[in-house]
Amino acid sequence: MTAFELIQALAQDAAIGIVVTDATIEPPGPTIVYANAAFGLLVGRGLDDIVGRSPRFMQGKETRRTGLDAFRRALTSGERFHGFLTNYRTDGTKYRAEIDCRPLHAAEGRIENFVAFQREVIRRIGRPATSAAGRYEPTSVSNDSLTEALRALAVFGHA
Ligand SMILES: Cc1cc2nc3c(=O)[nH]c(=O)nc-3n(C[C@H](O)[C@H](O)[C@H](O)COP(=O)(O)O)c2cc1C
């Protein structure tokens, strides 16, 4: 069993959006090889209309280049990307996505895939926070066992 197969099995019924790509950073890559049902709901698209595309399909007018540059730098250096991007659904509506993306390594160390955990967030009402993470809160909170397990891996948490 590969790490990717394990993720697929666990991600199936997860409440958090989970998307896995190959390790190609240059366009037309990265190519999505797996997305769970929650990811399909988040982006408003059927899973067979997601697999095979680049995650860039979620970008639009207000997706900021600075965020994408930081994303690309993290992918290139094999580091985690934890950030907030403006994504677009298929019907054109935009939403703020919290994205925690990590490289998956093959046994010999090479990066084989990237996995991203994604959820919709909204701006927190009240005092402006100093960090991006403090400015947003998730639109729904899930308490399934995978969400608990992901907490142990600090997914959506501080590095
Ligand atoms: C697993 C994974 C998930 C991604 N999810 C998104 C996303 O939801 N929205 C987005 O704009 N870019 C996302 N990206 C980033 C883009 O695919 C791309 O890497 C980014 O636009 C930077 O590359 P570029 O400089 O060629 O545009 C994701 C990348 C990976 C590997």
Side-chain angles (χ1 to χ4, degrees):
M1 181 171 62
T2 62
F4 174 39
E5 284 168 343
L6 179 65
I7 286 176
Q8 282 192 57
L10 297 174
Q12 203 92 36
D13 303 317
I16 288 172
I18 300 178
V19 59
V20 179
T21 67
D22 66 6
T24 321
I25 293 166
E26 293 305 322
T31 302
I32 296 174
V33 294
Y34 171 79
N36 72 347
F39 186 80
L41 288 175
L42 185 65
V43 304
R45 223 177 249 262
L47 297 184
D48 46 352
D49 194 19
I50 293 174
V51 172
R53 289 178 187 271
S54 152
R56 290 187 196 81
F57 79 79
M58 292 170 275
Q59 297 170 7
K61 238 173 64 192
E62 290 177 34
T63 309
R64 291 181 56 186
R65 192 61 238 177
T66 46
L68 298 177
D69 288 343
F71 207 143
R72 172 182 268 268
R73 274 197 302 278
L75 296 178
T76 309
S77 53
E79 282 166 10
R80 173 197 189 202
F81 170 80
H82 181 207
F84 299 81
L85 293 179
T86 299
N87 269 351
Y88 288 78
R89 298 194 173 86
T90 311
D91 66 5
T93 53
K94 65 174 182 197
Y95 63 98
R96 200 76 178 143
E98 180 171 16
I99 300 176
D100 186 334
C101 181
R102 299 162 184 223
L104 297 176
H105 297 269
E108 75 273 19
R110 171 177 55 88
I111 294 176
E112 216 167 28
N113 295 99
F114 294 105
V115 59
F117 304 95
Q118 302 205 3
R119 63 181 176 185
E120 182 175 355
V121 292
I122 49 167
R123 210 168 256 281
R124 226 180 259 281
I125 297 168
R127 210 152 43 91
T130 46
S131 71
R135 270 197 298 276
Y136 297 104
E137 61 187 337
T139 51
S140 65
V141 175
S142 34
N143 284 310
D144 58 309
S145 53
L146 184 71
T147 305
E148 281 303 315
L150 292 178
R151 219 162 271 151
L153 294 170
V155 167
F156 298 134
H158 295 292

